[in-house]
Amino acid sequence: MLQIDPKKLRLGAGAKIGLGIILVFVFTAVFADTIAPYDYADQTRSEPSAPRSAIRMFDQNGSFHFRPFIYRTEVADPISGRYREITDQAYPIGFFVNGHRYRLLCFIETDLHLFGTVSADIDAPRVRLLGTDVLGRDIFSRMVQAIRFSLSVCILGGIAACFLGILIGVISGYSGKIIDTGLMGLTDGMLSLPTLIVILAARAAFPLELPPLSAALLLVSIFALVGWAEMARLTRGLVIATRDKEFVIAAKATGVSGPRILQRHILPNISRPLIIQAVILLPAFLIAETALSFLGVGLQEPEPSLGNMLSSATDITLLRSRPIELLAPAFAIFFFILGVRLIANENERSL
């Protein structure tokens, strides 16, 4: 049986940072409705392309406020899109404030949100951490929901692809030459295809306008059918390298069945490189989903995804004036990939 060294399971500094980044993304995806202060589809038509809210601790008179606050803004020049602050009243910011209703974890109905303005005025200004888009929708709220969709699709697609790839790889590596040759021929054929082109072609076979759940299931299915080959090739090689080990031969000699040997002796010994490969696949699926939505064949507006939010950055004029707001989804993608690579690189060195 496999003897695992506990020292090798300890996470180094890089892996801890990477794990922390990934956990932040997972937490954001799970509690997206709570973290997002406003409805991602709600339009404030009087505030198109509004700038980020200026969160202050000192008012116009220089007086310090223990609670951060914002001022109301209004359009000063509709042609240039310039805004100005109205400093006659300060609106304090609070945590766990009431807002639009939603279902937490799909079944708990609530209206609590992580932050927002605390005011009895129903027309109180909103806290715009990333401003609004051209339709007056809160960019931060949309990005939080986009992270939920994109991350869910890439993780579920990765799990499905890994399961299919491991299954094919185990059958190929533990079977006879005929089955092995046939399955690896299929795997090599899949690896030779340009992945993104195949994904685009598969997606084009279905209607563009799909509900979010249907679009997510479709993308997960496409990723599973397209992304299994690398995992299958790796699994097959590891199974072949392990099936002739002494402990496997001894198990065969005692009459242990093939499925039992795979379950108790081979898979535990090859699990770590398989886990690393599974982690490495996640950024590829995230980028594929982003590319599909960016090209207009993934999740459709008004539903948010990181890809269709990035499409706003194609407007050079807007990009020059608001680079942080428009490129915020790209920063999210960068940090997710960074977290994955930090985890994978350290585990690769410890193999």
Side-chain angles (χ1 to χ4, degrees):
M1 290 295 294
L2 175 64
Q3 298 296 323
I4 299 178
D5 185 358
K7 294 182 179 180
K8 291 187 176 181
L9 295 179
R10 296 176 182 175
L11 295 177
K16 288 179 180 178
I17 294 173
L19 181 60
I21 294 173
I22 299 303
L23 289 178
V24 168
F25 275 91
V26 172
F27 182 85
T28 301
V30 173
F31 298 100
D33 292 311
T34 303
I35 296 172
Y38 311 109
D39 188 346
Y40 67 87
D42 189 17
Q43 299 181 18
T44 308
R45 298 186 181 274
S46 61
E47 298 180 353
S49 300
R52 302 188 301 273
S53 298
I55 301 176
R56 304 179 182 278
M57 300 295 292
F58 293 88
D59 60 23
Q60 61 177 345
N61 299 319
S63 300
F64 176 77
H65 292 242
F66 288 99
R67 175 178 287 184
F69 65 92
I70 62 172
Y71 287 124
R72 185 188 300 277
T73 59
E74 67 175 10
V75 178
D77 185 358
I79 297 178
S80 63
R82 183 170 58 87
Y83 281 75
R84 66 183 177 188
E85 285 187 324
I86 302 174
T87 59
D88 58 348
Q89 181 179 353
Y91 295 87
I93 299 173
F95 290 98
F96 298 103
V97 300
N98 301 108
H100 70 278
R101 301 193 68 80
Y102 62 92
R103 290 187 178 274
L104 179 63
L105 302 177
C106 298
F107 61 89
I108 303 174
E109 189 169 350
T110 181
D111 64 351
L112 285 180
H113 296 268
L114 182 60
F115 64 90
T117 51
V118 181
S119 175
D121 185 0
I122 60 174
D123 294 325
R126 296 184 171 187
V127 183
R128 309 288 196 185
L129 293 184
L130 292 173
T132 64
D133 61 14
V134 294
L135 298 178
R137 300 174 299 189
D138 184 64
I139 294 178
F140 178 79
S141 298
R142 290 183 62 78
M143 193 176 77
V144 169
Q145 296 290 346
I147 289 174
R148 164 184 280 180
F149 178 83
S150 299
L151 199 64
S152 299
V153 167
C154 84
I155 291 178
L156 293 177
I159 292 173
C162 290
F163 177 80
L164 183 59
I166 290 173
L167 179 62
I168 293 175
V170 166
I171 294 174
S172 178
Y174 205 73
S175 300
K177 185 175 182 180
I178 296 177
I179 296 177
D180 182 28
T181 302
L183 290 177
M184 284 302 101
L186 178 63
T187 302
D188 292 338
M190 184 62 69
L191 287 173
S192 67
L193 297 175
T195 305
L196 185 57
I197 301 299
V198 174
I199 292 174
L200 284 170
R203 177 63 182 91
F206 296 89
L208 290 180
E209 298 291 339
L210 290 174
L213 181 58
S214 299
L217 292 176
L218 175 60
L219 292 176
V220 168
S221 301
I222 292 174
F223 293 161
L225 293 175
V226 172
W228 59 267
E230 290 186 9
M231 182 62 77
R233 169 63 71 177
L234 174 63
T235 304
R236 182 249 187 190
L238 292 171
V239 170
I240 290 176
T242 309
R243 69 184 183 185
D244 294 328
K245 298 288 185 180
E246 291 81 359
F247 59 87
V248 176
I249 296 174
K252 290 179 180 178
T254 59
V256 180
S257 64
R260 187 70 171 175
I261 290 175
L262 286 171
Q263 178 186 356
R264 294 292 302 274
H265 299 280
I266 293 181
L267 287 177
N269 280 275
I270 65 175
S271 60
R272 189 163 187 177
L274 294 182
I275 292 173
I276 296 173
Q277 179 63 26
V279 171
I280 293 174
L281 283 177
L282 293 180
F285 289 131
L286 179 63
I287 292 175
E289 188 281 323
T290 302
L292 288 176
S293 297
F294 180 83
L295 296 173
V297 295
L299 190 65
Q300 302 295 307
E301 289 278 5
E303 304 298 329
S305 78
L306 295 177
N308 61 28
M309 290 186 68
L310 273 176
S311 62
S312 300
T314 57
D315 189 325
I316 301 301
T317 303
L318 283 176
L319 183 60
R320 288 175 177 174
S321 61
R322 310 180 64 197
I324 296 178
E325 293 89 335
L326 296 185
L327 294 179
F331 296 145
I333 295 171
F334 167 79
F335 281 110
F336 179 79
I337 295 176
L338 175 65
V340 169
R341 291 308 309 176
L342 287 174
I343 295 174
N345 288 345
E346 184 150 339
N347 280 279
E348 286 173 351
R349 288 196 297 268
S350 63
L351 282 176

